[in-house]
Amino acid sequence: MPVLNIVLVEPEIPPNTGNVVRTCAVTGARLHLVGPMGFEITDKHLKRAGLDYWHLLDITVYENLDDFWKRNPAPPENFFYFSSKAARSHSAVSYPDGCYLLFGKETAGLPEELVHSHPDTAVRIPMLPGVRCLNLSNSVAVGVYEVLRQWGYPGLC
């Protein structure tokens, strides 16, 4: 079965992360949480949002982005940076087995240097002009299901 990795960089809102937990659990995606986070993993709002799904989750927690990069030495073309500032649509790229979809914190997104230094793998979800962004957990779901659609929904029914 192909491997899909979801990376939340400095998430701030527990219910958003809880919803991402559910998305990862029902799709088999691995979840990577990169600190510092705006909550503790034991937060009741986080747990409530993903209540029945924690036992299905493959999760790794990192102190910061440096820790994440050290522990995940995949090829650069396996990392996709979701940002409203990216030029390419999320559906205009092909996602390889073992890819990582990176999403930034709710208030600021990913660090701009990550997006600007990876123009071939920085992607955006199309939206109307002049509006902020989709909710983090909705954005993750859109990204996850685009990858799974491209892969033919392996293992899902």
Side-chain angles (χ1 to χ4, degrees), residues 6-12 17 31-39 41 59-72 79 100-106 110-111 114:
I6 303 306
V7 183
L8 300 184
V9 178
E10 300 181 11
E12 300 169 311
T17 301
L31 180 59
H32 304 262
L33 297 177
V34 179
M37 293 181 279
F39 54 85
I41 295 293
I59 185 171
T60 307
V61 179
Y62 305 86
E63 185 177 335
N64 53 40
L65 265 174
D66 288 338
D67 184 25
F68 172 78
W69 296 126
K70 285 178 196 169
R71 294 165 56 188
N72 293 282
F79 294 94
Y100 292 78
L101 310 185
L102 284 83
F103 297 85
K105 60 184 169 183
E106 291 90 339
L110 287 172
L114 279 180

Side-chain angles (χ1 to χ4, degrees), residues 72-150:
N72 293 282
E77 60 272 12
N78 278 21
F79 294 94
F80 294 86
Y81 305 89
F82 278 70
S83 170
S84 62
K85 297 171 182 75
R88 299 174 72 182
S89 169
H90 74 293
S91 58
V93 298
S94 294
Y95 298 93
D97 182 8
C99 65
Y100 292 78
L101 310 185
L102 284 83
F103 297 85
K105 60 184 169 183
E106 291 90 339
T107 57
L110 287 172
E112 287 196 27
E113 64 271 10
L114 279 180
V115 177
H116 295 305
S117 61
H118 300 93
D120 291 339
T121 56
V123 297
R124 64 177 165 69
I125 298 169
M127 296 177 281
L128 290 172
V131 294
R132 276 195 311 159
C133 292
L134 283 172
N135 172 278
L136 174 63
S137 60
N138 292 335
S139 296
V140 170
V142 168
V144 166
Y145 275 92
E146 173 58 21
V147 173
L148 295 174
R149 182 194 67 78
Q150 288 185 16

